[in-house]
Amino acid sequence: MQRIGVLGSAVVGKTLASGLKAHGYEVRIGSRTPSTLAEYSASAGIHAGTFAEVAARAEGLVLAVRGAGAEEALALAGSANLRGKIVIDTTNPISNAPPSDGVLQLFTGPNSSLMERLQARYSEARFVKAFNSVGSARMVNPSFAGGPPTMFYCGDDADAKAAVARVIEQFGWEPADMGSAVAARAIEPLCQLWCIPGFRQNSWTHAFRVLWS
Ligand SMILES: NC(=O)c1ccc[n+]([C@@H]2O[C@H](COP(=O)([O-])OP(=O)(O)OC[C@H]3O[C@@H](n4cnc5c(N)ncnc54)[C@H](OP(=O)(O)O)[C@@H]3O)[C@@H](O)[C@H]2O)c1
């Protein structure tokens, strides 16, 4: 997976596109309106296109769109352009309702997840959940006195997970394989936990680390 298409024009898409480029990948970035990426594209040296254009040329994809727009973004990318491809899924199923006492509200239930829904709808692609439970500022080359933080990931395809684990490691994280796509039911809500110090104390630069024994 050398040629990566990033679907998403906001902070996560730009951060991961620039991080992937810095780590030697050939990257393109997509939006429904690629012209909105003109300034970023020129300064980062990363070509911008529509979701379909970017997906068509890529060997692997990063899905970095609003959770509620994820199905639409993949439909625009085009199912033929997803066939066999790894999709690094950074999305969270955050609902439009405001946080409740600092706890984000999700549009999924405890025994479901957005990634399972996407994997079922687009079975031709190989989804791997990752990068969803840390703020964009710490996604690439995080630096903490306590050592590398832990990146939980999951998905149904072993080869896809191995490729994503390599990216996670290149970016300076400890990859932690949580199993099949079902584990997204546990990984997606970590975004709620991660955001609580943000909403309560305006602290947005932490990351999770597991102390294994
Ligand atoms: N912000 C963070 O630090 C952070 C951290 C971890 C995970 N995440 C997750 O990462 C994802 C991206 O977050 P973000 O903050 O970068 O951006 P965002 O504001 O959540 O999403 C912006 C992107 O979503 C696309 N989009 C919105 N509605 C759409 C629709 N109906 N159909 C197709 N595309 C649609 C936009 O497309 P256009 O380009 O066409 O406008 C844009 O590219 C989210 O799921 C978020 O929960 C965010």
Side-chain angles (χ1 to χ4, degrees):
M1 186 172 66
Q2 181 59 27
R3 233 172 28 248
I4 301 189
V6 176
L7 308 181
S9 62
V11 63
V12 174
K14 289 173 180 167
T15 299
L16 293 179
S18 294
L20 288 162
K21 181 168 190 254
H23 282 277
Y25 293 90
E26 195 185 312
V27 186
R28 286 178 178 242
I29 187 166
S31 166
R32 288 170 297 180
T33 321
S35 57
T36 59
L37 282 163
E39 200 177 309
Y40 167 79
S41 177
S43 70
I46 294 175
H47 187 86
T50 64
F51 289 145
E53 287 164 353
V54 166
R57 296 179 63 97
E59 294 167 337
L61 297 167
V62 173
L63 183 62
V65 299
R66 201 162 72 88
E71 291 198 49
E72 193 177 334
L74 293 171
L76 289 169
S79 114
N81 293 328
L82 302 177
R83 187 152 299 120
K85 291 180 186 171
I86 296 169
V87 180
I88 304 177
D89 175 18
T90 74
T91 64
N92 286 311
I94 297 170
S95 81
N96 287 331
S100 178
D101 207 10
V103 181
L104 287 169
Q105 301 199 50
L106 306 184
F107 60 74
T108 46
N111 297 316
S112 68
S113 67
L114 178 57
M115 192 178 81
E116 286 173 280
R117 196 184 291 181
L118 299 176
Q119 181 64 80
R121 172 72 185 78
Y122 293 98
S123 54
E124 62 275 30
R126 300 180 287 159
F127 287 83
V128 179
K129 192 100 221 168
F131 294 104
N132 70 300
S133 48
V134 65
S136 58
R138 289 287 185 273
M139 282 181 178
V140 183
N141 305 336
S143 176
F144 290 99
T150 305
M151 178 67 70
F152 301 103
Y153 67 102
C154 71
D156 287 340
D157 185 281
D159 292 339
K161 284 201 296 185
V164 176
R166 276 195 295 279
V167 174
I168 291 170
E169 262 187 317
Q170 284 175 319
F171 279 17
W173 291 79
E174 174 201 46
D177 182 359
M178 293 292 111
S180 71
V182 177
R185 298 176 194 184
I187 297 177
E188 288 174 0
L190 288 178
C191 77
Q192 292 175 301
L193 188 62
W194 187 87
C195 283
I196 290 174
F199 290 123
R200 287 171 59 86
Q201 295 132 21
N202 199 26
S203 168
W204 299 99
T205 53
H206 49 285
F208 295 124
R209 183 172 190 211
V210 176
L211 303 176
W212 307 98
S213 63

